[in-house]
Amino acid sequence: MKHLQIAVGIIRNSQQEIFITQRAADSHMAGFWEFPGGKVEQGETAELALKRELSEEVGIVVQEAVLLNVLEHTFTDRIVTLSFYMVEAWDGEPFGREGQPIRWVRQSELVAEEFPPANAAIIALLTR
């Protein structure tokens, strides 16, 4: 079974809003909302992958990222290890560089059902 390492950025502004993007129609878990990020490539640390992915996906340069939690989730066809980073300092204004829908959501108003199941525990942590 495939095992993927994923770096995930929880981009939070000073109003306690979180930046989220919608998964592409042709992707695994299509249509769900997600915290931006992506696969850790060979020879990369999770933090380096986070910085690269957030630059590629949402056009920001991460200044500071703090590891919040690491969660593992097993799907029928793959295992994913998710490293969640809180990102509160960056350069640029995040946007959907790949044309993906985006939105800012109050941290307290995140809805776990709108995200892939692997995100449930982190959303519970963020909204408690």
Side-chain angles (χ1 to χ4, degrees), residues 2-93:
K2 209 164 38 166
H3 190 161
L4 303 172
Q5 303 285 332
I6 310 286
V8 182
I10 300 169
I11 302 168
R12 182 168 66 185
N13 66 18
S14 57
Q15 290 85 48
Q16 300 299 297
E17 295 170 327
I18 308 274
F19 181 82
I20 59 175
T21 59
Q22 195 167 34
R23 294 185 63 81
D26 61 353
S27 69
H28 183 248
M29 307 297 292
F32 280 100
W33 288 88
E34 67 179 352
F35 306 108
K39 289 187 199 79
V40 178
E41 303 293 346
Q42 195 169 347
E44 228 177 13
T45 64
E47 191 169 346
L48 281 173
L50 174 81
K51 290 177 176 180
R52 177 183 51 75
E53 286 283 349
L54 293 186
S55 172
E56 290 172 5
E57 271 189 45
V58 298
I60 64 170
V61 176
V62 174
Q63 291 178 335
E64 195 179 327
V66 177
L67 185 62
L68 187 64
N69 208 338
V70 177
L71 300 170
E72 194 167 276
H73 192 82
T74 304
F75 293 94
T76 53
D77 62 336
R78 67 189 76 186
I79 299 168
V80 293
T81 300
L82 300 153
S83 297
F84 289 93
Y85 287 86
M86 185 60 75
V87 178
E88 294 182 298
W90 66 85
D91 290 327
E93 186 57 40

Side-chain angles (χ1 to χ4, degrees), residues 71-127:
L71 300 170
E72 194 167 276
H73 192 82
T74 304
F75 293 94
T76 53
D77 62 336
R78 67 189 76 186
I79 299 168
V80 293
T81 300
L82 300 153
S83 297
F84 289 93
Y85 287 86
M86 185 60 75
V87 178
E88 294 182 298
W90 66 85
D91 290 327
E93 186 57 40
F95 71 104
R97 279 191 76 176
E98 298 163 347
Q100 69 274 42
I102 60 154
R103 63 182 197 192
W104 287 95
V105 180
R106 285 197 168 286
Q107 182 170 326
S108 59
E109 294 171 6
L110 290 168
V111 177
E113 290 75 23
E114 294 182 1
F115 290 77
N119 289 279
I122 202 77
I123 290 171
L125 182 72
L126 291 169
T127 56

